[in-house]
Amino acid sequence: MRTLLIVNPNATSTTPATRDLLAHALESRTQLIVAHTQHRGHAAELAQWATDAEMDLIVVHGGDGTVNETVNGFLPLPRPSASASDAVGAAESAAAQRAGTWIPRLGVIPGGSANVFARSLGIEADPVAATNQLIDLLSLDGGDAHAGDRRIGLMVADGRWCAFSAGVGLDADVCEAIDRSRAAGHAATPARYLRTTVRQFFRAKRREPAITVRVPGHDPVPGVHYAFVTNTSPWTYLDSTPVRTNPGTTFERGLGVFAMRTMGVLPTLSVARQLLASDGDPKARNLFRVDDVSSVRIEADDEVGLQIDGDFIGRRNVVDFTSVPEVLEVVAPEPDSARHN
């Protein structure tokens, strides 16, 4: 088995010792090439090279942004002709795009701050434990070349793959501010995320709601301040605590939608408590929430920020989100063994 290990050396929890351990472990099982990312978008370039070279496995050691770049580098998107409101059509189109195209498997070793994608898959949060877990899953291959794999769905958002979560409004404003903070040399710690969220919340509170959410089979939802669209649960982590906006959403089902129509402090605190509860099932008068939908369209009177997998993408008036089932093969535990730790 030929493997490319993509390492983001600037990721929050990536260390030389962990990189060496991971490389040594993979070298004992595969023919390994190690590549370090050197600039934004480099992971996508490396993933495309691995695909062209018909490598069997790409392992990412980095954060959620590096994982997103990698997936967008090697996994073909559904053809534009696929209906934005038809997940089956999108899935068939994606399958047609993959036909005759070499698609590597994906492995992930957490190296960022939140590592939502990996942890949602049941991958250990500790990089050393995750390395051992990956090797154990690869050792299951034996006669079945993909025995340790799991095929999951993703979503397409704004014309690119999204692995676990996208958001417009407040969510994106926080990501934009964190990106500026990182550029200034500050680490993206949970405490910094929390402080930034509070600051951006009170800034956004002064603005009129400008977003309308459209979901097939539901009446349009106007007057929305901010919205999240998720592909799994949890939505994110506050240190070790999962934050669940749509607890029924999984990689094997459709998308979850969470849209707030108030910026009131007391209603927001009430919903926040539900998001952090171990048995949380968020409900509120000014919350529109629905699970397992095939697509979502978000429209805004004025351009609002968009984030995908924790990275600020830009400002948009319209964004379409489409579920694409069973499109990515990942070396990960089966769903019933996911810990959501």
Side-chain angles (χ1 to χ4, degrees), residues 151 237 280 286:
R151 186 169 286 279
Y237 290 85
N286 289 307

Side-chain angles (χ1 to χ4, degrees), residues 62 73 76 112 260:
M260 284 292 287

Side-chain angles (χ1 to χ4, degrees), residues 40-61:
R40 195 178 185 112
H42 195 197
E45 297 168 8
L46 293 169
Q48 180 61 64
W49 174 84
T51 303
D52 293 342
E54 297 191 352
M55 303 197 78
D56 302 285
L57 174 67
I58 298 175
V59 177
V60 179
H61 182 34

Side-chain angles (χ1 to χ4, degrees), residues 156-182:
V156 175
D158 197 48
R160 62 181 291 163
W161 290 114
C162 175
F164 63 90
S165 174
V168 295
L170 176 63
D171 190 19
D173 294 342
V174 171
C175 292
E176 182 181 24
I178 290 293
D179 283 352
R180 287 197 301 265
S181 182
R182 281 173 168 162

Side-chain angles (χ1 to χ4, degrees), residues 6 26 38 49 71 77 83 95 124 127 164-165 227 230 235 240 244 263 267 270 272 287 313 337:
I6 298 176
L26 287 172
Q38 299 175 2
W49 174 84
V71 171
L77 284 162
S83 171
E124 298 286 352
F164 63 90
S165 174
T230 51
W235 164 61
S240 60
R244 299 184 176 93
M263 294 292 284
S270 175
L287 168 64
I313 302 301
S337 61

